[in-house]
Amino acid sequence: MTGRVLGVDVGAVRVGVALSDPAGVLATPLVTLDRDETTWSDLDQLADLVAEHEVVEVVVGLPRTLAGREGPAARAALGYADDLREVFDERGVSGVPVTMADERLSTVTAGRMLSDRGVKGRAQRRVIDQAAAVAILQTWLDARRGTAP
């Protein structure tokens, strides 16, 4: 399947979002959304992004433990993906699959990459979620194409 894919890194406070190119080769940062468990406006914004960018699939990071188990963070991500599917159904974008992807250490990897590029402190906090979403999506795209390291 070709087309743009959206990568999502779900956090307790923010949601990082990345977008692939139409060929599904390269992930780039898109936006960081504020997580809103009261109005679910972040889910609505994701549905808007799917429509705006003609996204064909959404990949949500699944934060397993290093031992591969699913703890509270993984259960929260799975619940978020279920809520996202519901919003897609309500908004008429139900044909877009929401896939889970292992994201162990994606935030750590993103933080190191940003530090290596000289982005630290407050500046890093503003973009770490997008960078983690890029790491999740790029790993998933590479695995799908069979080019993962």
Side-chain angles (χ1 to χ4, degrees):
M1 171 185 350
T2 59
R4 292 187 183 272
V5 180
L6 205 67
V8 179
D9 177 52
V10 181
V13 177
R14 291 176 301 275
V15 177
V17 183
L19 183 67
S20 78
D21 64 308
V25 175
L26 182 65
T28 57
L30 184 60
V31 68
T32 299
L33 306 174
D34 291 325
R35 180 101 185 258
D36 186 347
E37 295 186 60
T38 304
T39 66
W40 303 105
S41 62
D42 51 316
L43 295 169
D44 287 328
Q45 290 174 54
L46 284 170
D48 291 342
L49 291 170
V50 165
E52 176 185 345
H53 295 284
E54 299 178 349
V55 168
V56 298
E57 188 164 1
V58 175
V59 176
V60 176
L62 181 62
R64 290 190 169 112
T65 66
L66 291 178
R69 294 188 182 95
E70 292 180 4
R75 287 190 292 278
L78 289 164
Y80 192 88
D82 287 342
D83 292 340
L84 188 56
R85 288 181 191 99
E86 283 183 34
V87 169
F88 283 5
D89 286 345
E90 292 168 7
R91 301 279 303 274
V93 289
S94 56
V96 177
V98 177
T99 304
M100 303 305 294
D102 189 342
E103 68 145 291
R104 280 178 266 192
L105 301 177
S106 64
T107 301
V108 172
T109 301
R112 285 185 185 148
M113 179 204 59
L114 290 170
S115 290
D116 290 348
R117 293 182 179 170
V119 181
K120 298 187 189 311
R122 283 193 172 146
Q124 189 177 95
R125 282 195 298 267
R126 286 196 306 261
V127 295
I128 189 85
D129 302 291
Q130 287 178 42
V134 168
I136 292 163
L137 182 55
Q138 191 64 59
T139 300
W140 185 85
L141 292 169
D142 292 347
R144 187 179 70 168
R145 287 190 349 268
T147 59

